[in-house]
Amino acid sequence: MGMRPFITLHHFTHPQWFEERGGFNRRSSTARFARFAEFVVSQMGGLCSDWLTFNEPNVYTALGYLFGEFPPGERNQLWKYARVMTNMHRAHAVAYDRIKAVQADASVGIATNWVEFRPATPSRPDRFLAGLYDSVFNRSTLGLLGSGSMPLPLRMLASEVPEVTGKLDFVGLNVYNRLYVKMPSDAASRKTGGIFVPSDVPQGDHGCELPYGEAFPHAITSAAQAYSILKVPIYITENGVPDRSDRIRPWVIVATLRNVHALIEKGVDIRGYFHWSIVDNFEWSEGWTLRFGLYEVDPRTQDRTPRPSAELYRNIVGQNGLDDEQLSRFSDPPVPTAPVMGR
């Protein structure tokens, strides 16, 4: 059918026994993950030659050790964030070699999430906190892949991983949103780390507790330009918006792909774009609350119904580009942009 699959080996979940033995908190996780990668590729290599060792290690680690939203549910453990990120990238390096030994023509990469952090005010505290989030969240994988060490302040909390440099055939970028940052001043803002989303910006549907973020197609430009320093092909491995009624998804698709085209025209080596997602999926901590699909899924019957954006995306893929009508119709985010509460 002309389809080329990309398989991710770790996307947040792993066996309970692995976690009970310390998970990626332990250096021993490197060998365990490498054996797992080697086994999967030995069994599925006939179907796939493009592999992602990890998808969004920064999300897995930030939500598990800084914000307490994912297991193991810890908060403000920056030193654990640094150690787990280090071990995951060390595991990537070993798995890279094991995969190549099993499948010589394999293309092996890693995918990271990129978020734009905007200070709520020009004040020094807000700018400092936004810069800290950018350094910790956006630049950790970039630093490890480029030089074997994370940026400050994480560099002071974890060992270097020189063996990961050069172990990369491509990098995946998952880009969705922009978050606003204000230095916390009360219990409520401390709980969210000072992160919030203004009500008057274009955004997808609201999660169970927190807004998902401002839909911000220009974030793709910052992410791709930053990671182009690695001098490897870039794939946009995730991009989309939770939007059950298709209020802003068509605009997000067109605006994002317009930016992707502009990046390619400037010489950035972007090889592909994956929309998240073809169908609604059961989100990690949000269940069926957030609907990312081009096709709506009925959780009870599993019936799939195309949203209007499915036809738009099909037409873009079919013509391998954006036409004047699409560019004109979806040049600006629709109004109103108030998010729908999840249910």
Side-chain angles (χ1 to χ4, degrees), residues 131-146:
L132 179 63
Y133 279 129
D134 178 69
S135 178
V136 170
F137 189 80
N138 287 335
R139 314 280 171 170
S140 296
T141 288
L142 180 60
L144 285 164
L145 295 175

Side-chain angles (χ1 to χ4, degrees), residues 115-121 130 133 178-182 192-198 200-202 213-214 216:
V115 172
E116 290 287 304
F117 294 100
R118 177 175 177 176
T121 72
Y133 279 129
R178 177 163 68 176
L179 299 173
Y180 291 72
V181 181
K182 185 172 181 59
T192 64
I195 293 173
F196 70 100
V197 183
D200 60 347
V201 300
E214 177 187 2
F216 191 63

Side-chain angles (χ1 to χ4, degrees), residues 1 9 20 22 40 52 66 72 89 93 133 203 214 224 255 266 275-276 284 302:
M1 296 178 65
L9 297 173
E20 290 172 353
V40 172
L52 289 142
L66 297 181
H89 287 77
Y133 279 129
Q203 57 187 293
E214 177 187 2
K266 292 178 181 178
H275 182 77
W276 189 271
W284 303 104
Q302 292 298 299

